[in-house]
Amino acid sequence: MDEFLTVALSFPTLPYSIVLAFAVLYWLLAAFGVVDDGIAHDGLDLHLGDDGLHGISGMFARLGLGGAPVMLVIALLAFFGWTVTYFVHLFLLQPLPTPVRWLAGSVTALLALLLAVPLSVAVLRPIRRLLLRLRPVPQASLLGRVGVVASPQVTATVGHANVDDGGAGLILQVRSQDGSVLIRGDRVVLLDYLADHNHYLVVRENAHPALSIQDSLIAGDKEIHR
C-alpha cells in the first residue's frame, strides 16, 4: 500500500491521479444528483456556459471523442493515462536518478496521454451508441393544433381536452386563456404551453384570429364556386 501511494502521489503519476480523483468525485456527485451528468443535453455534452469548456468539447470531437459528456471523456483519458504512467513509473522509473526520472517521467506522461486517446475512442464507441438510444426523442410542438374539450367544462383553472396527434391521441390538461367557459365538445386551439403548471392555454376555435380568417376565406371560396 505504501508503494502504491508513493508511486500514485509522485511525478509523473501525480497529475493523472489528481485528474482521475476529480473525475471520480464528479461522477459520485452526479450519481446523487448534485451536479448535471450531461447525458440529457442535446449533443450529449456538457454546456456549462464557459468558452474554455466549449473549446475542450470541440477538441475532443476532432479527436473522435465527441458525442459523450465532457467529464466522461476526461475520466477515461485520466484512467488510461494514469494506468500507463503508474506501471511505467513503478517498474521502470523508480530506480532512476531524480533528474533522469523527471525527464523520462515527462516523456512518459505525454506518451501516456497519446496512448489514452485511441483507447478512450474504442471504449466510447459502444457507450456513445447506448447514450444515443437513451436520449429522449424530441416531440413535435402541439401549439396551433385543434383539440376537443373532453371534460364537462374548461375554465381558467380546470379542464382537459383530446388532441389528435396522428396516433392514439392525447389527453391534455388545458385552461381557458381568455377566462371564458368552454363546454364538452367545443373545439379549441392550443396557444401556449406553461411548463411550470403542465397545461396548455386554449381558446375556442372560432375565436382564434388566424383560424377565423382561414374559415372566412374558405367560406368565400365556396361562394365563388357556387
Side-chain angles (χ1 to χ4, degrees):
M1 186 66 181
D2 290 341
E3 186 177 34
F4 171 81
L5 292 176
T6 300
V7 175
L9 299 179
S10 59
F11 186 82
T13 313
L14 179 60
Y16 286 105
S17 298
I18 294 174
V19 177
L20 185 59
F22 172 77
V24 170
L25 177 61
Y26 178 91
W27 285 106
L28 286 175
L29 293 175
F32 287 100
V34 178
V35 297
D36 188 358
D37 59 16
I39 293 175
H41 292 282
D42 291 338
L44 300 176
D45 215 334
L46 289 179
H47 301 286
L48 302 182
D50 185 272
D51 292 338
L53 285 180
H54 283 298
I56 291 174
S57 179
M59 180 183 67
F60 284 166
R62 287 191 292 272
L63 292 173
L65 297 168
V70 169
M71 286 306 302
L72 176 58
V73 177
I74 291 175
L76 288 173
L77 291 174
F79 172 75
F80 287 120
W82 182 91
T83 302
V84 173
T85 307
Y86 175 83
F87 285 107
V88 172
H89 189 179
L90 178 65
F91 295 113
L92 298 178
L93 301 183
Q94 279 197 112
L96 298 177
T98 301
V100 178
R101 187 174 71 249
W102 275 82
L103 179 60
S106 300
V107 175
T108 299
L110 179 59
L111 292 178
L113 181 59
L114 296 178
L115 183 60
V117 172
L119 292 174
S120 298
V121 169
V123 172
L124 281 175
R125 195 171 292 117
I127 294 177
R128 190 183 296 114
R129 288 196 293 266
L130 175 62
L131 293 179
L132 286 173
R133 283 197 293 268
L134 292 176
R135 184 170 57 180
V137 178
Q139 296 182 349
S141 174
L142 296 175
L143 299 184
R145 294 206 179 190
V146 176
V148 178
V149 175
S151 56
Q153 62 180 18
V154 170
T155 66
T157 58
V158 67
H160 62 270
N162 295 330
V163 176
D164 183 8
D165 64 341
L170 300 172
I171 301 176
L172 304 176
Q173 292 293 322
V174 296
R175 303 291 184 267
S176 175
Q177 185 189 51
D178 55 11
S180 61
V181 177
L182 308 168
I183 61 175
R184 182 183 282 119
D186 282 349
R187 291 170 60 84
V188 295
V189 181
L190 307 179
L191 294 183
D192 195 11
Y193 177 65
L194 303 182
D196 293 341
H197 302 285
N198 191 32
H199 66 240
Y200 288 84
L201 295 179
V202 299
V203 294
R204 187 176 281 106
E205 182 183 23
N206 56 17
H208 192 275
L211 292 178
S212 297
I213 294 174
Q214 184 179 10
D215 291 341
S216 298
L217 292 174
I218 293 173
D221 186 59
K222 288 181 178 178
E223 288 293 332
I224 292 174
H225 283 84
R226 284 181 184 177

